[in-house]
Amino acid sequence: MDDLTAKKELEQMPSGINPNFESLHKVFPSSAYLRAHAPKNVPRFSFEYGDTGAGADVGIQHNWAAFDAIKVVPRYGAITTVPPTEVELFGTRYAAPIGIAPMGGPSLVWPGADLIMAKAAQRARVPYTLGVAGGASIEEVAKVAPDVFWLQLYRFYQNDHAIGFDLIKRATAAGVKALALTIDVPVRTTRTRESYAGLGREFQPNLRMMYEMAIRPKWLLALLRNGYPRFATIRQYTRAGASTNEVIGFARKNMGGVFSWEEVARYRDRWKGPMLVKGILHPADAEKAVSLGIEGVWVSNHGGRQIEALTPSIDVLPAIVSAVGQKATVVLDSGIRSGQDVMRALALGAKAAFAGKSFLWAVGALGDAGPGHLIDLYIDELRSSLGQIGARSLDEARDAVIRHPGAWRFDRND
Ligand SMILES: Cc1cc2nc3c(=O)[nH]c(=O)nc-3n(C[C@H](O)[C@H](O)[C@H](O)COP(=O)(O)O)c2cc1C
């Protein structure tokens, strides 16, 4: 997209809840309906890629069950208005404490998904996090989502982090609002649904996958309009004209492992804006990150996509908030499926909650209109949930009387 078209699109973008919300709500009244509908438009292998967890999905089930188990006792008699949802994160004001988590390859689920999500976030004024392995480039996202743009980095360790440090320069030039270093992908994982659907180490559509694409006209149209997954942020570090598989191979060779704390400190030094470490589940790791000058702790188990045995992030949230909540902004993802879940996360001390998979369900079900509708749904549900428990503000959610059976207590020996 050229600069002028991007600028025009930005100027014409309406803000606030979509005027079509009520009519979309009749057909898609919750994220579950988006998930149920997405496979009708999305080829099976693509849906499986976006929807699956590690192994047999037990981690995802645990994430969902952990949220469902959290119960609140409401207080009545004080509410006069619908609670406002605006929040300040790292010096920027957003319309709600709800964001889009970084994803690699969302454009495999729906061609063009990265930019569709970025535009929806800009319209709604909520954080959008571009995954470094996503389909769009840093520069493209800066054009369509300048006010809400967060970036996630993996560890590009070759040549003493030359690519990682160059990405920081590009992020600075692009005006990225916050940078997240992901630390929870130490090694590759296996996702059985993904493998069974035909996705291997390389992207090589077999006959069945081609048939699945051929019978999904809306998806094909998006492919025609937006093209194949391009890994646009990292593509420029490979040879000009490299194929998608070459870029994937390049990423595999150059990227991987966990940032050591020494490396986190070096990145912290180079990036002048707010920085988060994403994938923290132990309060001691949160304390270590904060001791290095990290302003944000992103509590996450990667949406259950790495290993089934990890604790749900919501179950370690209170311990992490109690360890670092006074010194750092704690945000959370993994298992968010409603504004009610967002309310639970806020009640347990998160400043904001992010979602990944459900935004892929949304774009799969509704194309361009999906992510915006999901943001509207989450905000609407959050307002209603706050009102229901008697909270007049986001902060008051923290006063909720809450039972959290899965909460971890980290004793000295843990
Ligand atoms: C398809 C997909 C790709 C993802 N890729 C990345 C990634 O490249 N970097 C990252 O930090 N997290 C990645 N994640 C994890 C998300 O950022 C987030 O932690 C997770 O999706 C939140 O859980 P939820 O899906 O239950 O909302 C990915 C998630 C999905 C669904």
Side-chain angles (χ1 to χ4, degrees):
M1 180 186 312
D2 63 73
D3 286 5
L4 205 67
T5 326
K7 204 162 164 257
K8 254 199 211 140
E9 253 194 47
L10 255 186
E11 280 164 8
Q12 285 162 5
M13 237 179 227
S15 63
I17 290 209
N18 185 342
N20 300 329
F21 179 64
E22 289 305 326
S23 54
L24 282 176
H25 194 272
K26 287 192 181 119
V27 191
F28 298 104
S30 77
S31 71
Y33 288 80
L34 295 164
R35 182 175 188 227
H37 194 79
K40 297 193 171 88
N41 298 334
V42 177
R44 196 172 71 94
F45 72 88
S46 297
F47 181 78
E48 295 293 74
Y49 167 70
D51 188 62
T52 188
D57 283 357
V58 171
I60 294 181
Q61 300 302 334
H62 285 171
N63 285 347
W64 292 353
F67 272 100
D68 289 344
I70 294 166
K71 311 277 193 313
V72 183
V73 179
R75 301 301 304 272
Y76 297 120
I79 276 286
T80 48
T81 52
V82 177
T85 57
E86 286 83 23
V87 68
E88 187 173 316
L89 299 168
F90 308 114
T92 301
R93 279 203 82 70
Y94 297 95
I98 297 166
I100 302 180
M103 287 178 271
S107 48
L108 187 64
V109 177
W110 190 265
D114 306 79
L115 288 180
I116 294 171
M117 293 190 290
K119 288 178 191 174
Q122 171 74 22
R123 182 186 69 77
R125 299 281 153 153
V126 298
Y128 166 75
T129 320
L130 173 70
V132 69
S137 74
I138 292 174
E139 293 73 19
E140 285 171 313
V141 173
K143 283 184 197 163
V144 300
D147 302 315
V148 297
F149 183 12
W150 295 22
L151 176 69
Q152 171 266 331
L153 294 188
Y154 276 132
R155 177 173 173 270
F156 284 87
Y157 57 92
Q158 301 284 13
N159 299 326
D160 193 28
H161 300 270
I163 294 179
F165 294 152
D166 189 60
L167 288 162
I168 286 189
K169 270 198 209 143
R170 288 169 64 191
T172 306
V176 163
K177 304 273 175 215
L179 190 70
L181 303 183
T182 294
I183 57 159
D184 62 0
V185 184
V187 288
R188 268 178 67 77
T189 185
T190 311
R191 304 180 187 117
T192 48
R193 279 168 61 196
E194 203 178 275
S195 311
Y196 188 71
L199 289 168
R201 284 179 82 82
E202 295 215 316
F203 182 60
Q204 241 146 24
N206 58 28
L207 271 180
R208 194 184 67 199
M209 289 155 79
M210 284 187 211
Y211 172 71
E212 289 167 6
M213 291 191 259
I215 58 168
R216 303 292 194 295
K218 288 184 183 163
W219 191 89
L220 281 177
L221 202 65
L223 182 66
L224 270 177
R225 276 189 10 220
N226 303 318
Y228 233 54
R230 291 175 305 120
F231 300 98
T233 286
I234 51 178
R235 175 168 287 277
Q236 70 182 66
Y237 303 112
T238 62
R239 72 172 183 89
S243 69
T244 297
N245 277 331
E246 277 178 77
V247 185
I248 295 175
F250 173 85
R252 288 235 164 88
K253 234 169 67 207
N254 287 274
M255 184 184 100
V258 179
F259 287 100
S260 68
W261 291 122
E262 288 75 22
E263 288 168 342
V264 170
R266 288 181 72 196
Y267 277 67
R268 168 66 292 178
D269 213 36
R270 299 224 171 195
W271 168 250
K272 303 303 172 205
M275 184 173 257
L276 302 96
V277 174
K278 176 173 181 282
I280 285 186
L281 292 172
H282 197 295
D285 287 344
E287 280 169 350
K288 178 70 194 176
V290 173
S291 77
L292 298 174
I294 298 296
E295 295 94 339
V297 171
W298 191 319
V299 187
S300 167
N301 70 10
H302 217 92
R305 285 173 69 85
Q306 287 304 113
I307 162 169
E308 290 162 291
L310 292 189
T311 175
S313 55
I314 191 75
D315 286 348
V316 292
L317 177 69
I320 290 179
V321 169
S322 120
V324 298
Q326 297 294 327
K327 294 177 253 167
T329 299
V330 180
V331 304
L332 167 133
D333 73 25
S334 299
I336 296 284
R337 286 173 300 161
S338 67
Q340 196 175 164
D341 290 339
V342 176
M343 177 273 286
R344 288 170 162 129
L346 298 182
L348 292 172
K351 195 83 192 196
F354 286 67
K357 282 186 283 296
S358 51
F359 280 97
L360 300 179
W361 307 336
V363 75
L366 274 166
D368 288 4
H373 178 57
L374 186 61
I375 296 168
D376 291 347
L377 262 180
Y378 282 169
I379 294 180
D380 191 54
E381 292 166 347
L382 172 62
R383 283 197 185 126
S384 147
S385 305
L386 290 170
Q388 289 289 344
I389 65 164
R392 287 166 298 180
S393 66
L394 297 180
D395 285 342
E396 277 192 16
R398 284 198 181 203
D399 304 334
V401 180
I402 196 156
R403 178 185 277 178
H404 183 184
W408 286 81
R409 285 185 47 226
F410 288 83
D411 298 325
R412 251 176 312 157
N413 297 329
D414 282 333

